[in-house]
């Protein structure tokens, strides 16, 4: 499929008032286009509305207003086809402890109406590293193995779109590497991946495009490279030969952070000050440079700038 794997227009969700609590607006006028074949990051602080959005895509929560189309199928017009086009690996470990991995996958495939001859149970078990545990009870699996099984269950009906909700929360490095290898392999085969994670370095490394949600709204959507380029902040880190003087006259807009080991970190904005201005100030202070390095903003800086009321907003 070309174009967008998911199109969302004017999506809103308001939870009605219950138990003396007022109604809660979880999503408000969300517009989102997720390109087909991409690895797409859906990021936001706790309570931003990400889980509600995922549950609406999965058909578990009824939207209040708006339109959702998955793989070309409108949820309101073709609900069964739109649900069949998406697989969700949830954050919660919702497994039947008395089912083996093989039984879990077979049951899940049956629920999706996958004919027995079309099922890929053994292939999936091999891919997620559970072939040797295929007939062990799920309750005997480690936490990491259970998380792998959740991925397998999401894949039984060969969905066009796979949602990974905090897939590496609380898992070890080995499992994390295995998961990302599988994700890249699935994406290379044409599957669209939607990733939610609080590990922003993972999103920065894995995602082609990212949307940041805050207070039920999409506050930014762009390619990862363009998002990183929104902040023009830069840091020049200098390790001086010997001790640096206490007083250093800085150009306007330049900040100085003295780091452990005597390193000096000069922060500046590229649109206001150039590195030569910083180096001129360093030379004027009589500092001889032993080492020099630069630091660029990362996704965490962009995330905080877009979701923090006190942080400077990205351009």
């Amino acid at each position: 499929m070309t174009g967008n794997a998911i199109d969302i227009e004017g999506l809103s969700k308001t939870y009605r008032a219950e138990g003396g609590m007022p109604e809660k607006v979880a999503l408000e006028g969300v517009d989102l286009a997720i390109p087909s074949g991409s690895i797409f990051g859906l990021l936001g602080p706790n309570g931003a509305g990400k889980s509600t959005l995922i549950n609406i895509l999965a058909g578990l929560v009824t939207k209040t207003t708006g339109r959702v189309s998955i793989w070309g199928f409108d949820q309101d017009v073709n609900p069964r086809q739109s649900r069949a086009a998406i697989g969700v690996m949830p954050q919660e470990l919702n497994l039947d402890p008395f089912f083996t991995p093989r039984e879990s996958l077979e049951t899940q495939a049956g629920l999706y109406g996958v004919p027995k001859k079309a099922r890929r149970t053994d292939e999936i078990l091999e891919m997620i590293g559970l072939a040797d545990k295929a007939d062990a009870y799920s309750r005997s699996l480690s936490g990491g193995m259970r998380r792998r099984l959740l991925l397998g269950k999401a894949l039984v009906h060969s969905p066009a779109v796979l949602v990974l909700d905090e897939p590496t929360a609380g898992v070890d490095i080995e499992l994390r590497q295995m998961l990302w290898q599988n994700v890249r392999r699935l994406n290379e085969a044409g599957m669209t991946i939607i990733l939610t994670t609080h590990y922003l370095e993972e999103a920065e490394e894995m995602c082609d495009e990212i949307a940041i949600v805050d207070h039920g709204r999409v506050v930014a959507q762009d390619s990862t490279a363009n998002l990183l380029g929104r902040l023009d902040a830069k840091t020049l880190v200098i390790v001086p030969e010997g001790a640096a003087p206490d007083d250093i006259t800085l150009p306007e807009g330049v900040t100085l952070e003295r780091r452990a080991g005597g390193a000096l970190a000069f922060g500046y904005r590229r649109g206001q000050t150039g590195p030569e201005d910083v180096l001129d100030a360093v030379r004027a202070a009589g500092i001889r440079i032993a080492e020099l390095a630069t630091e660029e903003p990362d996704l965490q800086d962009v995330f905080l700038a877009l979701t923090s009321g006190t942080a400077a907003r990205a351009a």
Side-chain angles (χ1 to χ4, degrees):
M1 178 180 177
T2 57
N4 296 325
I6 291 180
D7 281 301
I8 297 173
E9 297 176 3
L11 181 63
S12 298
K13 174 60 183 179
T14 300
Y15 292 99
R16 64 185 182 185
E18 282 187 352
M21 299 296 291
E23 67 178 21
K24 178 185 177 182
V25 178
L27 295 174
E28 188 175 0
V30 169
D31 295 322
L32 200 60
I34 300 178
S36 174
S38 65
I39 300 181
F40 190 93
L42 185 63
L43 310 181
N46 290 330
K50 302 187 302 299
S51 294
T52 296
L53 178 54
I54 289 172
N55 287 334
I56 290 174
L57 291 177
L60 301 176
V61 168
T62 303
K63 65 183 185 296
T64 302
T65 62
R67 186 183 75 86
V68 176
S69 175
I70 303 174
W71 212 245
F73 297 109
D74 190 300
Q75 271 194 340
D76 296 328
V77 180
N78 303 106
R80 292 187 63 181
Q81 290 91 334
S82 67
R83 291 183 187 181
I86 193 168
V88 179
M89 176 185 174
Q91 183 177 354
E92 298 79 14
L93 294 173
N94 55 349
L95 297 170
D96 190 315
F98 297 102
F99 274 23
T100 66
R102 186 185 303 280
E103 291 168 340
S104 292
L105 297 188
E106 285 289 319
T107 300
Q108 188 79 355
L111 292 173
Y112 275 100
V114 181
K116 286 192 174 182
K117 63 181 180 180
R119 295 178 188 176
R120 303 180 300 120
T121 300
D122 289 335
E123 177 187 339
I124 293 173
L125 287 169
E126 185 68 35
M127 185 189 76
I128 61 178
L130 289 180
D132 60 335
K133 298 288 185 180
D135 299 310
Y137 285 123
S138 296
R139 65 176 183 270
S140 69
L141 301 179
S142 67
M145 290 177 180
R146 294 180 188 184
R147 196 160 290 279
R148 291 186 222 171
L149 183 53
L150 290 179
L151 174 60
K153 288 180 65 177
L155 295 173
V156 294
H157 59 298
S158 301
V161 181
L162 174 65
V163 178
L164 305 174
D165 188 7
E166 298 289 346
T168 58
V171 304
D172 58 33
I173 295 176
E174 183 179 359
L175 175 57
R176 187 171 299 176
Q177 290 177 339
M178 174 182 286
L179 175 67
W180 294 139
Q181 288 173 359
N182 286 331
V183 166
R184 287 190 177 97
R185 190 177 302 122
L186 292 167
N187 181 247
E188 288 169 0
M191 187 176 290
T192 302
I193 310 293
I194 302 174
L195 168 68
T196 75
T197 180
H198 283 98
Y199 299 115
L200 299 184
E201 68 279 5
E202 290 184 346
E204 184 174 338
E205 179 183 353
M206 294 291 299
C207 297
D208 310 310
E209 193 166 326
I210 289 172
I212 297 177
V213 182
D214 192 27
H215 292 98
R217 294 177 175 270
V218 176
V219 296
Q221 179 184 351
D222 211 332
S223 68
T224 304
N226 286 346
L227 278 177
L228 293 173
R230 288 193 176 199
L231 294 181
D232 67 351
K234 195 162 185 172
T235 303
L236 188 65
V237 182
I238 290 173
V239 178
E241 291 183 355
D246 293 333
D247 295 323
I248 301 175
T249 302
L250 300 174
E252 183 179 355
V254 176
T255 62
L256 171 60
E257 175 194 354
R258 295 177 183 269
R259 297 182 177 177
L264 306 174
F266 297 89
Y268 64 95
R269 293 193 172 276
R270 285 169 285 193
Q272 180 180 4
T273 306
E276 277 298 326
D277 297 324
V278 178
L279 291 174
D280 287 344
V282 170
R283 297 186 189 102
I287 299 173
R288 293 181 62 83
I289 300 174
E291 296 180 26
L292 183 147
T294 59
E295 295 176 354
E296 300 281 351
D298 59 16
L299 188 57
Q300 179 170 304
D301 298 317
V302 178
F303 181 88
L304 292 174
L306 289 168
T307 60
S308 171
T310 58
R313 292 282 168 180

Short mmCIF file of all heavy atoms in Angstrom, two decimals, residues 90 182 226 245 253 291:
data_model
loop_
_atom_site.label_atom_id
_atom_site.label_comp_id
_atom_site.label_asym_id
_atom_site.label_seq_id
_atom_site.Cartn_x
_atom_site.Cartn_y
_atom_site.Cartn_z
N PRO A 90 0.42 -4.99 23.71
CA PRO A 90 0.13 -4.09 24.83
C PRO A 90 1.27 -4.03 25.84
O PRO A 90 2.16 -4.87 25.86
CB PRO A 90 -1.12 -4.73 25.45
CG PRO A 90 -0.96 -6.19 25.16
CD PRO A 90 -0.30 -6.27 23.81
N ASN A 182 13.81 -7.82 15.33
CA ASN A 182 12.56 -8.30 14.75
C ASN A 182 11.75 -7.15 14.14
O ASN A 182 11.14 -7.30 13.07
CB ASN A 182 11.73 -9.02 15.81
CG ASN A 182 12.27 -10.39 16.15
OD1 ASN A 182 12.89 -11.04 15.32
ND2 ASN A 182 12.04 -10.84 17.37
N ASN A 226 14.05 16.41 11.15
CA ASN A 226 13.53 17.77 11.21
C ASN A 226 13.18 18.19 12.63
O ASN A 226 13.37 19.36 13.01
CB ASN A 226 12.30 17.91 10.31
CG ASN A 226 12.65 17.93 8.84
OD1 ASN A 226 13.82 18.11 8.48
ND2 ASN A 226 11.66 17.73 7.99
N PRO A 245 40.33 30.16 34.49
CA PRO A 245 40.07 31.27 35.42
C PRO A 245 38.62 31.30 35.88
O PRO A 245 37.73 30.77 35.20
CB PRO A 245 40.42 32.51 34.58
CG PRO A 245 40.27 32.06 33.17
CD PRO A 245 40.67 30.63 33.15
N GLY A 253 24.26 36.00 25.19
CA GLY A 253 23.49 34.80 24.88
C GLY A 253 24.23 33.49 25.12
O GLY A 253 23.65 32.43 24.96
N GLU A 291 41.37 19.75 24.69
CA GLU A 291 40.41 18.97 23.91
C GLU A 291 39.20 19.84 23.61
O GLU A 291 38.85 20.74 24.39
CB GLU A 291 39.96 17.71 24.66
CG GLU A 291 41.06 16.70 24.92
CD GLU A 291 40.55 15.48 25.65
OE1 GLU A 291 39.34 15.17 25.52
OE2 GLU A 291 41.33 14.84 26.36
#
